[in-house]
Amino acid sequence: MSARRTVSLITLGCARNEVDSEELAARIEAAGWQVADDADAEPSVVVVNTCGFIESAKKDSVDTLLAAADSGAKVIAAGCMAERYGEQLAEALPEAAAVLSFDDYAEIGDRLDDVLAGRPVKSHTPRDRRTLLPISPVERSASPHVHVPGHGALADLPEGIAPASGPRPPLRRRLGAGPVASLKLASGCDRRCSFCAIPAFRGAYVSRQPDELVAEAEWLAASGVREIVLVSENSTSYGKDLGDLRALEKLLPRLASVVERVRVSYLQPAELRPGLLDVIAGTPGVTPYFDLSFQHASGTVLRRMRRFGDPERFLELLDRIRAKAPEAGVRSNFIVGFPGETEEDFEALSSFLSEARLDAIGVFGYSDEEGTEAAGFDGKLPQDVVDERVAELTALAEELTAQRAEDRVGETLSVLIEEDLGDGEWEGRAAHQAPEVDGCVIVRGEGLRAGDLVTAEAVSAQGVDLVAELIAGPVSGPVGS
């Protein structure tokens, strides 16, 4: 592979960024460049798809950019951090040959040519991307084109240009193998959570068309994908800009007819309508898995966060889910040490977790994010108090999720095999476990391979992970949970 027109893509952050990188890869190939698959390749340009969510993610992004520059390649910063800071990042990080906006993605080939030739690339001035689209969601589809990463189609390419590896339904080039892939349902967010800066640099909420999603799912299935994970900033809002609040309820059965397992992520509890709950809990091929964005349990803290709910409402929602699907998996993330959080608020959160029986729990300490409402709040807690509460809740979460895994011993699981561990053991995920963020199942059996869907019985737990004995498999065709 020639190094002169070879690009290496490094992706940081969430699954949404991974989809964006795969669109970038397709556009790069369409422009006549090669994307390096070999980790040992020596590319002429490294594109780092950065994360700009919280301070630790931004630090990781900067460290990765500097490490890439040390390799001798020319380095381009793309992604959320680049979009959020633009020319500010370019000034602070002269090691980067270019800092790109999302609006540069459609012309990524030209930007790569500029960088390779040593021509300067002007960085953008950061602005609130929510202002680029109409306030009314249903008016957005008729608005002038605004580039939304991960929503590309072949029709978006310049006339006469096609991807180097041949025509494909989506403008996407898989950067990894394996039986699981993310599918971007929508981008952006219309919520105004006081701690979150994402809407300002990701923009207003934009849904992808159902037929486009089904076509991309068919392409993924043809490439060996057996589980699709639907990702967005807020999946429960899907379809509101298409004029159909039941669009996700209609879409899920269509996707389940294409691929064996469909999983939905990023659900807002306040927007989880009864009809959508029924479809996720009861549709064959759709995993009864609920990634619920609780963020806290104290009603007082949640109101300061510009969110809704309290322990009673959240527990009632969990009861409704488990009444429909007793085996359902539930995960959530929580922010500890939010401005004004009292000992009583913290105790309310701890008590809620003890009752909720969640399968996976993420705990994060609050930190100010510039441009957010919460950054100006009074009642900021000392950092040592935040750290102490994070440690305490993390320890509780580990205990509770390990107990939840113990409760699943004896269950019959449908497991998607992902990796051969050797000695007759295989790592996979059951329906209640999302890839990468949750636990796993170690299946004991012979003659399996990655991509097999098997039936196994959970015989023991190791923390949040389960050990299971193979009962039957592999399974072909659409399966349930």
Side-chain angles (χ1 to χ4, degrees), residues 70-111:
D70 287 343
S71 72
K74 295 180 182 293
V75 177
I76 291 177
C80 291
M81 187 177 180
E83 175 63 44
R84 185 176 181 182
Y85 295 104
E87 58 191 9
Q88 299 170 24
L89 179 61
E91 292 172 4
L93 199 71
E95 292 86 352
V99 174
L100 303 186
S101 167
F102 294 147
D103 297 322
D104 290 304
Y105 285 17
E107 299 172 342
I108 186 64
D110 291 340
R111 300 292 83 77

Side-chain angles (χ1 to χ4, degrees), residues 214 217-218 221 251-262 283-286 477-478:
V214 173
E218 291 172 342
L251 174 66
L252 288 173
R254 294 182 64 188
L255 294 175
S257 71
V258 171
V259 68
E260 287 87 350
R261 182 184 279 179
V262 179
T283 303
V286 177

Side-chain angles (χ1 to χ4, degrees), residues 241-420:
D241 52 326
L242 305 178
D244 186 0
L245 289 176
R246 297 186 62 238
L248 185 54
E249 299 167 36
K250 299 172 185 177
L251 174 66
L252 288 173
R254 294 182 64 188
L255 294 175
S257 71
V258 171
V259 68
E260 287 87 350
R261 182 184 279 179
V262 179
R263 186 184 304 274
V264 189
S265 60
Y266 305 106
L267 301 170
Q268 290 289 342
E271 297 180 24
L272 186 56
R273 299 172 299 282
L276 178 58
L277 190 160
D278 290 346
V279 170
I280 295 175
T283 303
V286 177
T287 60
Y289 177 83
F290 294 82
D291 176 13
L292 298 168
S293 178
F294 287 132
Q295 302 297 350
H296 210 280
S298 163
T300 302
V301 174
L302 286 165
R303 299 306 173 271
R304 285 174 68 85
M305 289 180 168
R306 305 289 184 207
R307 297 180 64 84
F308 304 94
D310 54 44
E312 292 74 23
R313 288 185 177 89
F314 290 165
L315 290 171
E316 189 273 333
L317 173 59
L318 293 172
D319 286 343
R320 284 193 285 122
I321 288 170
R322 288 167 177 148
K324 298 285 184 180
E327 77 287 7
V330 186
R331 86 169 328 271
S332 190
N333 294 325
F334 298 89
I335 298 173
V336 178
F338 193 78
E341 181 190 70
T342 64
E343 286 283 358
E344 291 74 19
D345 295 326
F346 182 70
E347 286 301 319
L349 174 55
S350 300
S351 297
F352 167 73
L353 289 186
S354 296
E355 293 186 64
R357 297 170 57 237
L358 304 181
D359 291 276
I361 299 169
V363 179
F364 299 89
Y366 171 81
S367 61
D368 284 337
E369 282 296 312
E370 56 195 283
T372 63
E373 183 182 5
F377 283 175
D378 56 10
K380 299 286 175 61
L381 275 63
Q383 189 60 49
D384 61 334
V385 174
V386 175
D387 294 342
E388 180 180 337
R389 291 182 182 179
V390 167
E392 182 179 337
L393 201 71
T394 298
L396 176 63
E398 290 174 352
E399 177 184 344
L400 293 171
T401 52
Q403 180 57 57
R404 180 64 177 139
E406 286 280 357
D407 293 342
R408 290 190 179 275
V409 172
E411 284 189 10
T412 299
L413 309 171
S414 175
V415 183
L416 178 59
I417 300 298
E418 296 180 0
E419 184 180 355
D420 182 359

Side-chain angles (χ1 to χ4, degrees), residues 26-158:
R27 290 183 180 277
I28 287 167
E29 285 190 340
W33 288 70
Q34 292 177 297
V35 176
D37 291 311
D38 187 350
D40 296 326
E42 297 182 1
S44 53
V45 181
V46 176
V47 177
V48 180
N49 189 352
T50 60
C51 179
F53 179 39
I54 56 178
E55 197 61 39
S56 60
K58 289 183 279 189
K59 181 180 183 305
D60 189 27
S61 294
V62 171
D63 290 346
T64 303
L65 288 162
L66 292 173
D70 287 343
S71 72
K74 295 180 182 293
V75 177
I76 291 177
C80 291
M81 187 177 180
E83 175 63 44
R84 185 176 181 182
Y85 295 104
E87 58 191 9
Q88 299 170 24
L89 179 61
E91 292 172 4
L93 199 71
E95 292 86 352
V99 174
L100 303 186
S101 167
F102 294 147
D103 297 322
D104 290 304
Y105 285 17
E107 299 172 342
I108 186 64
D110 291 340
R111 300 292 83 77
L112 291 170
D113 290 341
D114 290 338
V115 166
L116 191 62
R119 294 189 290 268
V121 176
K122 181 176 174 56
S123 300
H124 63 285
T125 301
R127 77 283 200 207
D128 189 334
R129 289 188 72 87
R130 291 173 294 191
T131 63
L132 304 181
L133 289 169
I135 294 176
S136 172
V138 295
E139 295 177 6
R140 291 171 190 164
S141 61
S143 65
H145 179 72
V146 173
H147 187 76
V148 182
H151 290 221
L154 288 179
D156 296 331
L157 291 175

